[in-house]
Amino acid sequence: MLAFVQSCGLSGIDGFAVSVEINLDHGMPMFEIVGLPDASVKESRERVRAALKNSGYQFPAERLTVNLAPADLKKEGPAFDLPIALGMLACMGLIDQAALEDVCVFGELSLNGAVRPVRGALPMVISEMERGVKRFLLPAENAGEVGCIEGAQIIPADTLCAAVRHLTGELPIEPLTPVAYRTLISRRQFAEDFCHVKGQHKAKRALEIAAAGGHNVLLIGPPGSGKTLMARCMPTILPDMTFEEALEATRIHSVAGVVPPTGLLTERPFRSPHHTASHASLVGGGPNALPGEISKAHNGVLFLDELPEYRRDVLEALRQPMEDGFVTITRVNAQSTYPSRFVLVCSMNPCPCGNLGSRAKQCRCTPNEIRRYLNRISGPLLDRIDMHIEVESIPSERLSDTTLSEDSAHIRQRVEAARAVQRRRYGDSGIHSNAELNARTLPGVCKMTPAASALLTASTEKMKLSNRAYTRILKVARTICDLDGVELIGEEQVAEAVQYRTLDRKYWG
């Protein structure tokens, strides 16, 4: 007998249709899986065998062949366990083949017949829906991440027996009730808030500008000045993700196997890899070309604490994704392209001991030690960081002050107003924020008064800034205008934008 079950495979952040074909023949007992399976797919034989027996079904003592079509695409992971088991039961006449029509099935089986979650459920469902599939039989633990997809009928199964009873009509499973994305957003709670940051008004103003324009930021200050706290507060003032942005970010996390308990991401991602992180963990890689930290931070914040402590090759790997907004990973077994559009927030001490410029403690570092410490960061990488913010240490009397400053919600309102201006300005051009302006669009968007142009030119020459730094200052000035409700860039906006580059001369000049 022959049975067909529709399933789905995973390639990068995209799914591809897989037809699971099961043939049951008389002959010597044998269980063979063909169709370019990897080791985890081949091991399905033992999982399916044990799951069927422990669920009360008889395993056929005949020749069994499973083909995963198309045969020229590599199949990875345990997601084919459930469709193989259901196909075998269809061959034995326990499930009607018609019940398996127009339904996509995937899921891993444990030895006792429980259905385990799989990696990449969201991209597989989205890809199958684009091909016209509407019904999905999948693990109950994966239902949360796909529950917001409009038009999809999600049937969550927690055991093999439950899936069989649903398909036979003995005990139908109630389809998942969709949850509106706005409802999920209303339930979220941020762990950090800018109201708990003592002082640092200049730094908070700079971070507001960075959030409004999507600019990269470097915080420089002594230990304990609040750099890490402010960086962790950054997602709380970024605009809410649109439903499309949330789906895109969740697809990457689903492929990486790090989907949050809520399923769909409602907060912008915040990734903070340790300074010992390898090149592959930051950019992505491994045998299957999985996404790294820069892709997991897509549509969110990538925070690099103690920037000079990262390996030089790891930092240099950031340069291309920061410019292109995506990263392509090529390995022997796979090649994948992942989006990586993020706000980079970095922090560092001004010197090895951290006390350079501190009012409380005296720096004990020599000029050569300071120079070697700062030279760990290359000039091209610094050029790609729009704003350099000097953070001062907080006096002890301010720490005991219980007065709360402006909270993140009020700051986010101003940021969202500025982003609304940018959305109207750029429309469907593919540009999402001022930080993404390119050489073609920059002149028409960043128009200055003659006095502002003269000030920017003079500042660039005096500080010996690169052409890239010049354009970064112009983009920041454009964002300041959007926050201030001004169309033409004037001297005031240029002067404020230039002061966020003065550390080029102070530390690296």
Side-chain angles (χ1 to χ4, degrees):
M1 291 188 66
L2 183 65
F4 298 89
V5 182
Q6 187 172 352
S7 188
C8 190
L10 195 63
S11 176
I13 58 171
D14 297 310
F16 60 91
V18 175
S19 177
V20 181
E21 305 169 350
I22 301 95
N23 185 61
L24 197 60
D25 268 337
H26 296 296
M28 183 176 295
M30 183 179 177
F31 190 174
E32 187 69 25
I33 299 178
V34 298
L36 211 58
D38 71 349
S40 62
V41 178
K42 292 179 181 178
E43 292 171 352
S44 293
R45 293 176 295 190
E46 302 307 318
R47 291 193 295 272
V48 170
R49 188 193 309 271
L52 285 173
K53 289 184 176 180
N54 291 323
S55 298
Y57 302 106
Q58 186 67 36
F59 190 83
E62 299 179 80
R63 182 182 181 87
L64 185 66
T65 304
V66 176
N67 178 44
L68 305 177
D72 59 342
L73 290 178
K74 190 174 182 63
K75 318 302 186 305
E76 301 171 347
F80 303 107
D81 290 2
L82 184 58
I84 290 174
L86 295 177
M88 291 174 60
L89 294 174
C91 283
M92 293 186 288
L94 299 179
I95 299 176
D96 189 353
Q97 175 66 51
L100 294 170
E101 299 292 337
D102 300 324
V103 58
C104 180
V105 183
F106 55 85
E108 177 186 348
L109 289 175
S110 65
L111 300 185
N112 65 356
V115 181
R116 296 180 179 273
V118 296
R119 181 172 54 85
L122 180 63
M124 287 192 287
V125 169
I126 292 176
S127 299
E128 286 301 293
M129 286 200 66
E130 292 173 351
R131 284 185 278 271
V133 179
K134 302 297 182 182
R135 296 173 60 220
F136 298 88
L137 179 60
L138 45 73
E141 293 185 43
N142 283 129
E145 68 182 272
V146 298
C148 284
I149 301 180
E150 186 177 351
Q153 186 182 28
I154 306 300
I155 304 166
D158 52 6
T159 64
L160 175 61
C161 290
V164 174
R165 293 192 188 105
H166 172 78
L167 293 171
T168 58
E170 179 183 349
L171 187 61
I173 299 174
E174 189 70 23
L176 185 70
T177 302
V179 180
Y181 178 59
R182 299 308 305 180
T183 302
L184 291 177
I185 288 182
S186 66
R187 297 173 182 170
R188 70 182 179 186
Q189 291 183 341
F190 293 109
E192 283 84 17
D193 196 288
F194 265 109
C195 67
H196 299 120
V197 178
K198 307 293 184 182
Q200 305 297 0
H201 301 294
K202 288 178 58 178
K204 286 192 283 188
R205 162 68 176 174
L207 290 175
E208 179 182 336
I209 296 170
H215 303 290
N216 302 320
V217 178
L218 173 61
L219 302 170
I220 303 178
S225 55
K227 302 187 297 296
T228 301
L229 176 58
M230 287 189 288
R232 292 190 177 278
C233 290
M234 190 69 173
T236 67
I237 64 172
L238 288 171
D240 291 335
M241 285 192 291
T242 63
F243 180 58
E244 291 72 20
E245 289 177 326
L247 282 179
E248 192 175 33
T250 308
R251 287 177 74 168
I252 299 171
H253 284 70
S254 180
V255 170
V258 290
V259 177
T262 55
L264 195 69
L265 285 171
T266 56
E267 298 179 16
R268 290 191 178 269
F270 180 86
R271 306 298 300 183
S272 180
H274 194 260
H275 65 263
T276 58
S278 65
H279 182 282
S281 66
L282 194 69
V283 177
N288 300 325
L290 293 178
E293 292 294 328
I294 62 174
S295 296
K296 294 174 189 175
H298 178 63
N299 288 334
V301 176
L302 177 66
F303 177 48
L304 302 183
D305 198 7
E306 303 298 340
L307 186 65
E309 303 300 330
Y310 287 80
R311 283 171 25 196
R312 184 72 173 247
D313 65 308
V314 172
L315 292 180
E316 295 307 304
L318 290 172
R319 288 162 53 180
Q320 184 176 353
M322 289 169 64
E323 292 288 337
D324 299 338
F326 65 88
V327 59
T328 300
I329 306 166
T330 303
R331 295 295 183 267
V332 174
N333 297 330
Q335 175 176 321
S336 301
T337 298
Y338 298 107
S340 57
R341 191 172 60 248
F342 53 85
V343 174
L344 177 66
V345 180
C346 309
S347 73
M348 61 176 290
N349 297 325
C351 66
C353 78
N355 296 323
L356 181 64
S358 174
R359 301 173 183 175
K361 297 182 180 179
Q362 186 172 359
C363 176
R364 59 178 183 272
C365 304
T366 65
N368 286 336
E369 289 175 338
I370 297 174
R371 180 63 58 184
R372 283 195 299 270
Y373 177 75
L374 298 177
N375 282 341
R376 295 179 187 176
I377 308 171
S378 69
L381 178 62
L382 282 173
D383 265 354
R384 288 170 169 81
I385 299 177
D386 303 24
M387 305 171 70
H388 307 160
I389 305 168
E390 196 166 17
V391 182
E392 298 179 350
S393 58
I394 302 297
S396 57
E397 60 268 16
R398 289 298 305 274
L399 297 177
S400 59
D401 186 4
T402 58
T403 303
L404 297 179
S405 59
E406 187 179 28
D407 61 15
S408 295
H410 287 89
I411 300 175
R412 186 168 63 249
Q413 289 178 0
R414 296 194 294 269
V415 169
E416 289 179 338
R419 286 291 185 105
V421 172
Q422 294 168 47
R423 284 193 297 270
R424 290 193 296 270
R425 178 188 300 135
Y426 303 127
D428 298 328
S429 64
I431 297 176
H432 303 84
S433 63
N434 292 330
E436 299 176 27
L437 288 170
N438 52 42
R440 179 179 59 84
T441 56
L442 191 70
V445 172
C446 299
K447 296 181 179 180
M448 297 181 285
T449 64
S453 179
L455 175 60
L456 181 55
T457 301
S459 301
T460 304
E461 293 176 353
K462 186 175 181 180
M463 297 167 62
K464 297 181 175 59
L465 300 177
S466 66
N467 292 340
R468 182 180 283 113
Y470 176 94
T471 59
R472 300 279 170 169
I473 292 174
L474 203 52
K475 294 176 186 178
V476 172
R478 176 69 271 166
T479 301
I480 296 172
C481 285
D482 292 341
L483 282 169
D484 296 343
V486 179
E487 182 59 33
L488 193 62
I489 300 175
E491 284 182 283
E492 182 180 347
Q493 289 79 26
V494 169
E496 184 175 1
V498 166
Q499 76 170 351
Y500 298 129
R501 301 291 305 198
T502 55
L503 296 183
D504 279 337
R505 180 179 61 180
K506 184 173 181 179
Y507 290 105
W508 288 274

